[in-house]
Structure formats: structure tokens, C-alpha cells
Amino acid sequence: MPTSSEPLAPWRSPLARALHRNRSLLYSRYLQLATVTPDGLPACRTVVFRGFREGTNQLQVITDRRSQKIQHIAHQPKAEVCWYFPKTREQFRLAGHLLVVDKDNCDPNLQAARSHLWQTISDAARSQFASPPPDQPWEPNQPVIPASPDTLMPLDTFCLVLLLPDRVDHLELRGNPQTRHHYTYDPHNGWAALAINP
Amino acid sequence: MPTSSEPLAPWRSPLARALHRNRSLLYSRYLQLATVTPDGLPACRTVVFRGFREGTNQLQVITDRRSQKIQHIAHQPKAEVCWYFPKTREQFRLAGHLLVVDKDNCDPNLQAARSHLWQTISDAARSQFASPPPDQPWEPNQPVIPASPDTLMPLDTFCLVLLLPDRVDHLELRGNPQTRHHYTYDPHNGWAALAINP
């Protein structure tokens, strides 16, 4: 598993290019996170890319501790994200280990990353972490959501989730023939790249 | 599991509205299909929605028999698709059973649906089913792809995949508060809808 002073992975450059070329579309930072439920069934939802953790190849997303994906990750920490870029017609699939950084995590660097993200999100996004529990039946008279929770200290429900990729698949649909590259990480040799059939 | 003369499910109307309102974006017909590998790991890739099978609530996608998802489905036929509509900022998650209709399927109605889809896709899309096996290392001197395979008879590699949803989650991010509806199918009582917390 890559450490926190890791060199830039070879897929970072094509991914940075895709992010740049699709930057006019706000939703080009939305990707789909697939997990496995405790029953062994697939689950998939849209999440927002919150940048890489500084000095690493770890993708950051945020989630509510009460959301179902937290239970999925506790059962099976392996995940795959699928990231489609509409403008450049390319897809990245990144598979790896998920690490949930909640309020009880003792690593000061990870807590700093969690606090930093809390400070960068909007008031509306922060408010969601104080709202009634997700996935529960909606009731008409629920507690009022505080307009703006503390901007410095994350609420207990706020979690940072890190994806530590060990396999990346990059498919480019433009061009004839289409091209596809596969990157795999090995703890001894680092990242290796291979062109495969699309 | 819904039969082939089933009534329109209650989530069809909001989904049809989303498709209509996002129709200017070609890629609003792209969705992410999550499956589970034989090792119990999540997998996720973008697929293209090819309409509903006539008279049913079954979503149609197509795939190559040689693609990895075919092995996943053989092992675990349950799947979840995640469908995000950028213009209206809403997400549908549809979970259910996948049915692969390959050349050996004996149901004449399903074979008719498979043939019909083959005839409606582009020459370029058809050619892909004659190309070197996906996921294999790319080699510079591979067999030449026929410019246009038979437009009437599907190639053996061409599969129709049907998703028979039994659980649908509809999240609308616009509006304050956001709204979320959950639809579940029961063979005895049909579909039921419930408003839940976003």
C-alpha cells in the first residue's frame, strides 16, 4: 500500500489531464463508488471527488457516518470507483482499499486532512451532517437543521474516506481504434502499465 | 420477478421525466453498472442504456460475451446500477437481477429482443464485437476488424443484458430540503413507495 510520501503514480497524469479538460462541467468531479454489502451484493452511488490527499495518490471523498456505505466498508474495505469524463469521452476505473477516517481515528495527519476538508465544504454541505439519519423514513416534523454548524470543528457524523488505488483502468473512447491502459501496483516494484484491448 | 406483461412500475414516470429533461446530453443515457467478482470484490463500469424491453420494466444494455462482467454475473446475478442526471441533478439507483441473453438462449422473445438491438446499433458498435478479446494485452498486429459485420444476424459475442429491478432509490439534489424516494417490489403486492431522508 502506498505510503504518505509516495511518488506520483503514472495514471495521475492522464487523470489530471481529464480533470483539466472537463473542468467546465461541474459534475466531472462526480464519480460512482461501488462497494459490497454484508450480504455480498453490489452497491453503487455517486460521490464527489474532493482532491488527492496531499503527497499521496489517495482520492478523498466525504460521507456521513450513518450512511450505508460505512457498514459496507467495515465488512469489505475493497472498492472500485468508476469515473466517466463526458467531454473527452474517457473512463477511469480505480480499484483499491478504502480507509474511513472518522472522529475516532488517532492518526494526527489523517485528522488534519479530515478537519481541512470540513473547512473547505459549503455551509449547505456541512448542514447535511446535522440532518436526520439518511436512509430512514422521512417524517414531516423532524428536528430543525442548524443553519450553519461550526466551521472549524467537524461534526461527529463527518467522515473522510480515502481510496488507496492498486489497480487503474483507463479507457479512451475517442479515436479509432479506442485505447485502453491498465496500471497495477505492486508493493515491491511500484506501478506497472500495460496496453490492453478495449 | 416481474413478468413480460407487467404494469408500468411507479418509478418509471420520474425516470422518463429525467430522461426527457436531460435528453440534450447524449451521455445522460450512460449509467454505471456494479457487479461482484467471483472473489467477492466490487466492480463498476459505464454502460449505455438501450431502452426498456417492450412491455416490461426491464432495462436493456449490451455487452461482449468475452467481457469480465459476464463472469461476474454468472457468479452473482444481482447488480446495482447508478444513474446520475447532470442537468436535473438527480440520481436513480436500481438494484435487481441481471439476465444475460446470449446466442444460446432458447426463449424466442428474448432472442427477438437481442436481434432487434443488434440491428439498431451503429456499424462501429457492431464491429467491436468482432474485435480482439477485451481485457487481453494489446498486440500491434492483431486481426483486421471487419468494417461492418452482418447487420441482421448478431455475432456470437453479442449479448443482451436485462436488469429486472426490485429496488429503486430516487434522490433529487435540487430543492431544499432534498427529497428521496425508495421503491421496493414484492411479488405478491407489487411496487411500494416510501419517502426517506436524503
Side-chain angles (χ1 to χ4, degrees):
Chain A
M1 211 171 284
T3 65
S4 68
S5 59
E6 58 196 324
L8 217 61
W11 47 267
R12 288 288 298 275
S13 160
L15 181 56
R17 198 160 48 232
L19 275 163
H20 182 74
R21 290 185 179 162
N22 289 268
R23 68 190 182 285
S24 65
L25 306 174
L26 256 183
Y27 47 86
S28 67
R29 297 179 78 85
Y30 293 8
L31 44 102
Q32 278 70 35
L33 168 66
T35 55
V36 174
T37 72
D39 295 332
L41 303 179
C44 192
R45 80 289 283 162
T46 305
V47 294
V48 181
F49 172 62
R50 306 281 179 178
F52 285 93
R53 191 180 150 224
E54 211 181 323
T56 76
N57 296 310
Q58 302 168 5
L59 285 77
Q60 301 180 125
V61 301
I62 60 175
T63 196
D64 192 302
R65 199 179 49 177
R66 302 165 297 172
S67 81
Q68 290 181 334
K69 62 176 105 46
I70 293 291
Q71 298 162 38
H72 300 178
I73 300 168
H75 164 78
Q76 170 56 273
K78 289 279 191 178
E80 183 165 87
V81 298
C82 179
W83 201 346
Y84 182 74
F85 289 94
K87 214 164 175 177
T88 48
R89 300 191 61 226
E90 59 191 315
Q91 173 187 267
F92 289 82
R93 294 170 62 180
L94 304 106
H97 198 92
L98 289 181
L99 180 67
V100 177
V101 183
D102 64 11
K103 71 174 180 65
D104 299 322
N105 191 295
C106 298
D107 184 317
N109 290 326
L110 295 178
Q111 277 304 345
R114 174 173 172 259
S115 291
H116 177 70
L117 267 184
W118 176 258
Q119 288 153 24
T120 59
I121 62 175
S122 68
D123 280 354
R126 269 191 290 267
S127 288
Q128 284 212 308
F129 292 88
S131 66
D135 301 314
Q136 299 301 308
W138 179 83
E139 286 170 36
N141 298 310
Q142 295 191 99
V144 177
I145 301 170
S148 171
D150 188 334
T151 54
L152 283 177
M153 187 63 124
L155 287 175
D156 286 357
T157 49
F158 180 76
C159 297
L160 161 64
V161 180
L162 298 170
L163 173 66
L164 289 62
D166 53 33
R167 215 175 64 244
V168 174
D169 182 280
H170 180 208
L171 172 66
E172 292 177 278
L173 295 173
R174 287 200 304 197
N176 186 8
Q178 300 170 355
T179 59
R180 191 170 165 198
H181 288 86
H182 206 81
Y183 302 87
T184 44
Y185 182 78
D186 175 285
H188 300 297
N189 304 307
W191 286 97
L194 180 69
I196 60 171
N197 295 327
Chain B
M1 212 171 284
T3 65
S4 66
S5 58
E6 59 196 322
L8 217 61
W11 47 267
R12 288 288 299 275
S13 160
L15 181 56
R17 198 161 48 232
L19 276 163
H20 182 74
R21 289 185 179 161
N22 290 268
R23 68 189 182 284
S24 64
L25 306 173
L26 256 182
Y27 47 86
S28 67
R29 296 179 79 84
Y30 294 8
L31 43 103
Q32 278 71 36
L33 169 65
T35 55
V36 173
T37 72
D39 295 332
L41 303 179
C44 192
R45 77 290 282 162
T46 304
V47 294
V48 180
F49 172 62
R50 306 281 179 178
F52 284 93
R53 190 179 151 224
E54 210 181 323
T56 76
N57 296 311
Q58 302 168 5
L59 285 77
Q60 302 180 124
V61 302
I62 60 175
T63 196
D64 192 304
R65 198 179 48 178
R66 302 165 297 173
S67 81
Q68 290 181 334
K69 62 177 105 47
I70 293 291
Q71 298 161 37
H72 300 178
I73 300 168
H75 164 78
Q76 170 55 273
K78 289 278 192 179
E80 183 164 88
V81 298
C82 179
W83 201 345
Y84 182 73
F85 290 93
K87 215 166 174 174
T88 48
R89 301 192 61 226
E90 59 191 315
Q91 171 186 268
F92 289 82
R93 294 171 61 180
L94 303 105
H97 198 93
L98 289 181
L99 180 67
V100 177
V101 182
D102 64 10
K103 70 174 181 63
D104 299 322
N105 190 295
C106 299
D107 184 318
N109 290 326
L110 295 178
Q111 277 304 345
R114 173 173 172 261
S115 292
H116 177 71
L117 267 185
W118 176 257
Q119 288 153 25
T120 59
I121 62 174
S122 68
D123 281 353
R126 271 191 288 267
S127 288
Q128 285 212 308
F129 291 89
S131 66
D135 301 312
Q136 299 300 310
W138 180 83
E139 286 170 35
N141 298 309
Q142 295 192 98
V144 177
I145 301 170
S148 172
D150 188 335
T151 54
L152 284 177
M153 188 63 126
L155 286 176
D156 286 357
T157 49
F158 180 77
C159 296
L160 161 64
V161 179
L162 299 170
L163 173 66
L164 289 63
D166 52 33
R167 214 175 65 242
V168 174
D169 182 279
H170 180 208
L171 172 66
E172 293 177 277
L173 295 173
R174 286 201 303 197
N176 186 9
Q178 300 170 354
T179 59
R180 191 169 165 198
H181 288 86
H182 206 82
Y183 302 87
T184 43
Y185 183 78
D186 175 286
H188 300 296
N189 303 308
W191 287 96
L194 181 68
I196 60 171
N197 295 329

